[in-house]
Amino acid sequence: MAVLMEVKNLVTRFYTQEGIVYAVNDVSYNLQEGETLGIVGESGSGKSVHALSIMGLIPSPPGKVEGGEVIFRGRDLLKLKSEEMRLVRGAEVAMIFQDPMTSLNPVLTVGTQITEALKLHLGMSSSAANARAAELLDMVGIPDASKRLDNYPHQFSGGMRQRVMIAMALSCNPKLLIADEPTTALDVTIQAQIIELVKRLRDELRMAMIWITHDLGVVAGLADTIQVMYGGRIVERGPVKEVFSDPRHPYTLGLLKSLPRLDQNRKSSKLIQIEGAPPDMRYLPQGCSFAVRCPYKKDKCEVERPPLETIREAEGQHLGACWVDVREGEPQRG
Amino acid sequence: MVSPTSNPAAVKTDAQGREAILQVRNLKKYFPILSGIVFQRQVGAVKAVDDISFDVYKGETLGLVGESGCGKSTTGRTILQLYKPTSGSVQFEGRELSTLPNEELRRMRKRMQIIFQDPFASLNPRMTVGAIISEPLVIHRMYSNKREQQEYVENLMERVGLNPFYINRYPHEFSGGQRQRVGIARALALKPTFIVADEPISALDVSIQAQVINLLADLQQELNLTYLFIAHDLSMVRHICDRVAVMYLGKIVELGPTDEVYENPLHPYTQALLSAVPIPDPMAESKRQRIILTGDVPSPARPPIGCNFNTRCPVHFELCHHDPDPPLLEVEPGRWVACHRVSEI
C-alpha cells in the first residue's frame, strides 16, 4: 500500500482572551491508501482540531496552524491558496461532522446542496447532477431518493440527515473521508446502521478514512489502526488488535480498564478509575501531560516529555510515548 | 408475584421478600399538541409515557434504558411529580404521590431527589457551590444554626470528593466531573432514600465517567440508597444496575434482572438494541452478529396501531398490527416482556 497522506509536526494554537490554547502539539503520522484510522481522545485532546487543521477549516482568528506539513498525494495542503484548497476539499478529501443539522443549510433543499458539489467539482449539468444526486441518496439507503431531493433538512430524521451528509461527502469519490464523531449524536441502533453503511461504502469505493471518536467500541469494530490522543499529542498508536490486547500507554490502559463491557458480568462493584481530570490546554505541563493522573509516574515524567517511539514492529508499527513499561506493574506507593 | 398491571395497591413485597419502595401503576404522561396563536386548542398529544407499571425495590438500582424520545426521562420526572401525570398511580413508601397536596408533596421531596444530566445547565451560575448545596437545607429549614449548616455542607462536599476549601467558588470554576459531584451533593443534602439519576454521566468525558459511577455506588452502599438510573449507555447499565427496564416509544417492552436480560434478551427490540452496542475489543467485535433495524423510531405523537415496534420489528406478523398492543407479561419469574411472539422467541 502506498502512503496517501503524511502529517508532519502539525501545530495548531488558539489565541483567546483567556490565553493561548495549545490544541495540537507536534502531531505526525502517515495514512495509507484505503486505511481506516481511528482517532480516540477526550474533549480537548486535539483530535477534532487536528482534523480541521488538515482541512484548512480552522477559524482564524483566533486559531492558527503554526507549523507542520500535510502532504496529500504529493502536495502540502497547508501551503495551498484558499481557492486551491477549495478544489481539494469535497473532491479529494471530504469531511462529515457530529451534528448533521448544523452542517446542512436549513433553507436549501437537500438536492440543491448535493448537486452544488457535483457542479462545482465535476462540472456536471443540472440534469446530470440531479440524476447523480438521486443515485447517491439511493446508495446511502434513503428510500424514494428522487422525490426526497426536493425535501429540506428538517424533513429528515437525525439518522437520515447523517446519511445525506455521507451522500454529499462521497459525491465526488474522495480518496479520504474524515469523520468527526459522526455517530455521537445518534441513538445506538441508528449508529449501527450508519457504521454498517460506511463500512460497505468504504470497501466499495476503496477510500481511506479517519474516524474521530471518544468511543473505543466503535474504533474496535471499524478501524485498522488506532491512534490515542491526549493533551494535543499522540500518546499511543498501532494496529487495532495489538493496541487493544497489549496497550502500553498508561492512559490507553486506564481507559480500557475503566470501561464496563456489555458482554461481561459485573465482577466487582467498582470500576477501575483514572484519577483527576484532563489538562487545561492553556497550561500544559513541561513533562508528560498525563503524568499528574498517571499511576505509573516516575520523577522523570514530570520534567521531560517522552517522545513517540516504536514499541514493537509487528504487522504494523506500535508506537507509544511513555517513559515507563506498564508491563512491570504499578509502583507501590505509601 | 402479582402482575403489576392487575392489582395496584396490594403488593408491598415480592416473592423474594424485597420491599417495594416505589410502585408505578399504569402511569401515563401525555403532552398536548396545541394549534392556533390566540385561541389555542389541542389537536393531538405526544404520548411520552404510555401506560407503564413497575416496582423499584429498596436498596436496588433499576436501570431505565432506551433511545432518545422513548420517554425514560419523562418517566423519571413524572414519578417525582415534576410533571403532573396524565393518569396512573405512583406510590412512594406507601403513599400515593399523584394526589398529594402540594405542601405534603414538598415534604415528601426530602426523601426523593434527582441528579440531572447536564452539570452545566443544572447549577445556577450565580450561586456559589456552598449556596447550591445548602439550598435544599434552607428551603426545608433543616438548620437554624448557620455554622452547623456550613459544617454539614463541608462534610457533604468531602464525601462526594470535592475539596471543602472551594465552598465559596462558582460552578464555572469547576470541571464537568466536579460539577456533577456538586449536583450529587445537592441531591444528598436532605438524606433522601430514593434518587432518580437522569443520565448522570452522559455529558462527562470517558475518563471521568468511572469516577462518578464509583461514587454513586459507594454512596448507595453507605447510605442504603435506591436508584432509578436512567441511561442510554447500555454497558454502564450492565455494570451498575440490578434490574433493567427497556423502553420503546413510551412503553416498557422488557423488564428483568440485568444479567439475564443481557445474556438472553427476549424482546426483539432488546435483542437489536444490545447487538448494536459496540464492544471495545476488536476480537469480540469481529465475531458479533448485529441485528440492524431498518428505519427510525416513529413519532410519539403518531405511534403505530398495534405494537409500537411493528414498523421496525424483524419478526412482526399480522397480530402485531392490530390493537390492543401486546401487554407486559411475566414469562419467567421476574422477567417481563411485551411481545406477541414471546412464546416462540
Side-chain angles (χ1 to χ4, degrees):
Chain A
M1 268 194 294
V3 175
L4 178 68
M5 183 171 76
E6 244 179 290
V7 177
K8 287 189 202 160
N9 309 104
L10 189 67
V11 175
T12 304
R13 288 177 188 160
F14 289 88
Y15 293 86
T16 69
Q17 291 193 336
E18 286 81 36
I20 304 168
V21 178
Y22 297 87
V24 178
N25 307 303
D26 196 11
V27 164
S28 305
Y29 64 90
N30 286 355
L31 183 73
Q32 310 290 323
E33 275 175 21
E35 180 183 6
T36 300
L37 171 66
I39 299 186
V40 187
E42 299 179 276
S43 46
S45 63
K47 59 190 193 306
S48 293
V49 172
H50 123 275
L52 294 174
S53 307
I54 292 173
M55 294 293 280
L57 292 173
I58 293 289
S60 172
K64 196 163 177 238
V65 180
E66 299 221 309
E69 293 171 35
V70 178
I71 311 290
F72 181 81
R73 304 175 86 195
R75 285 183 298 173
D76 184 355
L77 296 186
L78 301 181
K79 292 217 172 65
L80 294 185
K81 294 199 190 86
S82 58
E83 305 90 80
E84 294 171 321
M85 189 60 206
R86 204 176 302 149
L87 296 179
V88 174
R89 217 186 286 134
E92 294 179 73
V93 188
M95 189 162 179
I96 53 178
F97 298 90
Q98 174 172 346
D99 185 354
M101 195 61 211
T102 51
S103 331
L104 287 167
N105 188 331
V107 299
L108 295 178
T109 64
V110 157
T112 315
Q113 298 185 57
I114 302 177
T115 51
E116 188 186 0
L118 294 169
K119 289 178 199 164
L120 174 75
H121 291 302
L122 305 178
M124 280 188 181
S125 69
S126 287
S127 58
N130 270 325
R132 173 74 180 138
E135 238 177 75
L136 286 162
L137 285 192
D138 193 53
M139 176 179 84
V140 296
I142 292 180
D144 266 337
S146 49
K147 280 186 201 145
R148 305 237 39 192
L149 285 177
D150 297 330
N151 286 167
Y152 290 88
H154 74 267
Q155 292 167 293
F156 291 82
S157 67
M160 284 293 161
R161 269 181 229 140
Q162 200 55 282
R163 285 173 193 261
V164 171
M165 288 303 298
I166 292 169
M168 283 171 68
L170 301 186
S171 59
C172 303
N173 287 326
K175 288 272 168 253
L176 169 63
L177 176 68
I178 301 179
D180 187 3
E181 306 239 15
T183 58
T184 305
L186 303 177
D187 278 316
V188 58
T189 61
I190 308 295
Q191 167 173 286
Q193 291 175 358
I194 297 290
I195 288 177
E196 211 56 31
L197 169 72
V198 168
K199 272 188 189 170
R200 176 171 63 81
L201 295 173
R202 170 192 66 187
D203 297 343
E204 277 175 22
L205 306 172
R206 294 200 190 85
M207 49 176 189
M209 225 163 45
I210 296 180
W211 193 280
I212 298 168
T213 179
H214 62 265
D215 189 334
L216 283 159
V218 171
V219 170
L222 186 69
D224 307 307
T225 310
I226 179 175
Q227 188 161 297
V228 183
M229 290 187 69
Y230 191 84
R233 289 195 163 75
I234 300 170
V235 294
E236 183 158 12
R237 175 192 155 94
V240 161
K241 281 187 182 147
E242 182 165 329
V243 172
F244 276 84
S245 61
D246 187 17
R248 293 297 180 84
H249 195 281
Y251 176 63
T252 319
L253 188 65
L255 276 186
L256 284 170
K257 281 200 295 190
S258 75
L259 290 177
R261 278 179 59 157
L262 187 82
D263 55 346
Q264 278 171 3
N265 272 344
R266 80 166 132 177
K267 293 192 190 100
S268 81
S269 63
K270 293 208 99 173
L271 293 166
I272 298 159
Q273 65 188 41
I274 302 177
E275 303 295 339
D280 186 331
M281 299 299 285
R282 293 169 300 175
Y283 311 106
L284 286 174
Q286 173 195 3
C288 170
S289 41
F290 188 63
V292 286
R293 306 176 73 186
C294 184
Y296 299 90
K297 181 184 65 180
K298 292 194 287 198
D299 293 342
K300 188 181 185 183
C301 302
E302 292 190 317
V303 227
E304 206 176 329
R305 182 176 306 124
L308 190 65
E309 285 175 333
T310 304
I311 294 167
R312 211 150 72 107
E313 194 88 47
E315 284 162 50
Q317 248 189 342
H318 186 173
L319 303 165
C322 184
W323 293 122
V324 183
D325 188 342
V326 292
R327 291 170 302 175
E328 287 165 8
E330 289 178 29
Q332 298 294 316
R333 288 179 205 282
Chain B
M1 197 165 168
V2 183
S3 154
T5 43
S6 64
N7 192 353
V11 204
K12 287 283 180 279
T13 54
D14 77 337
Q16 284 104 55
R18 287 178 298 187
E19 188 189 335
I21 191 172
L22 180 80
Q23 290 177 295
V24 177
R25 293 293 176 271
N26 306 101
L27 186 69
K28 290 184 184 174
K29 178 63 199 173
Y30 294 177
F31 293 100
I33 303 170
L34 302 173
S35 176
I37 296 160
V38 183
F39 300 103
Q40 292 205 322
R41 63 204 157 82
Q42 188 174 342
V43 292
V46 174
K47 299 178 175 179
V49 178
D50 196 11
D51 196 2
I52 63 169
S53 301
F54 61 93
D55 291 343
V56 183
Y57 300 120
K58 201 165 173 43
E60 79 165 342
T61 301
L62 175 67
L64 196 55
V65 302
E67 299 179 280
S68 47
C70 74
K72 54 190 192 301
S73 285
T74 307
T75 301
R77 289 172 189 213
T78 311
I79 286 171
L80 297 180
Q81 310 294 313
L82 297 174
Y83 294 141
K84 198 167 169 35
T86 304
S87 69
S89 132
V90 179
Q91 283 201 12
F92 175 68
E93 295 183 330
R95 299 193 66 183
E96 177 60 46
L97 298 181
S98 55
T99 54
L100 218 55
N102 280 343
E103 193 45 46
E104 278 180 64
L105 185 61
R106 199 198 311 266
R107 249 173 278 147
M108 285 303 270
R109 288 236 163 88
K110 278 192 230 168
R111 313 192 50 76
M112 42 183 210
Q113 288 287 322
I114 183 165
I115 300 166
F116 293 100
Q117 170 176 355
D118 187 346
F120 297 82
S122 59
L123 303 177
N124 187 338
R126 304 173 72 163
M127 285 165 77
T128 63
V129 162
I132 289 170
I133 299 173
S134 51
E135 196 178 24
L137 304 170
V138 174
I139 288 171
H140 289 276
R141 300 195 189 91
M142 303 299 283
Y143 286 91
S144 49
N145 182 327
K146 266 254 149 87
R147 179 163 308 157
E148 277 174 32
Q149 178 173 309
Q150 171 146 355
E151 233 163 69
Y152 178 72
V153 170
E154 284 176 356
N155 282 336
L156 215 49
M157 286 179 74
E158 209 152 336
R159 185 58 207 90
V160 299
L162 290 169
N163 190 338
F165 181 72
Y166 300 136
I167 191 165
N168 289 321
R169 296 210 178 171
Y170 289 87
H172 75 265
E173 297 172 80
F174 293 86
S175 68
Q178 287 173 316
R179 275 184 243 200
Q180 200 53 292
R181 290 174 194 269
V182 175
I184 293 170
R186 173 175 63 183
L188 290 175
L190 294 166
K191 304 192 172 118
T193 51
F194 174 63
I195 290 181
V196 173
D198 189 1
E199 307 238 16
I201 56 161
S202 45
L204 304 177
D205 267 322
V206 187
S207 72
I208 306 297
Q209 292 185 352
Q211 297 175 1
V212 172
I213 288 295
N214 282 344
L215 173 65
L216 287 173
D218 285 349
L219 292 168
Q220 179 170 42
Q221 281 215 316
E222 203 175 301
L223 307 169
N224 195 20
L225 294 169
T226 306
Y227 289 142
L228 180 66
F229 187 83
I230 300 168
H232 61 252
D233 180 341
L234 288 137
S235 309
M236 199 57 95
V237 164
R238 176 156 201 185
H239 174 77
I240 74 154
C241 296
D242 303 295
R243 294 189 307 141
V244 62
V246 182
M247 283 187 78
Y248 186 79
L249 215 58
K251 290 181 187 293
I252 292 180
V253 296
E254 181 157 4
L255 169 65
T258 310
D259 284 339
E260 287 179 38
V261 172
Y262 277 61
E263 263 148 46
N264 180 25
L266 296 176
H267 196 283
Y269 175 64
T270 319
Q271 292 170 352
L273 186 66
L274 290 173
S275 86
V277 178
I279 295 175
D281 176 354
M283 303 304 275
E285 275 292 303
S286 64
K287 284 189 220 117
R288 287 180 85 196
Q289 282 293 320
R290 286 225 150 81
I291 305 166
I292 304 283
L293 293 177
T294 51
D296 288 304
V297 185
S299 157
R302 276 171 278 109
I305 294 166
C307 175
N308 277 348
F309 188 52
N310 68 27
T311 57
R312 301 171 84 196
C313 182
V315 297
H316 69 107
F317 70 127
E318 222 224 311
L319 183 59
C320 309
H321 295 271
H322 296 286
D323 278 334
D325 49 333
L328 187 66
L329 296 173
E330 188 170 27
V331 291
E332 287 165 38
R335 292 207 61 180
W336 301 78
V337 183
C339 178
H340 287 309
R341 304 203 78 152
V342 70
S343 55
E344 303 157 49
I345 293 166

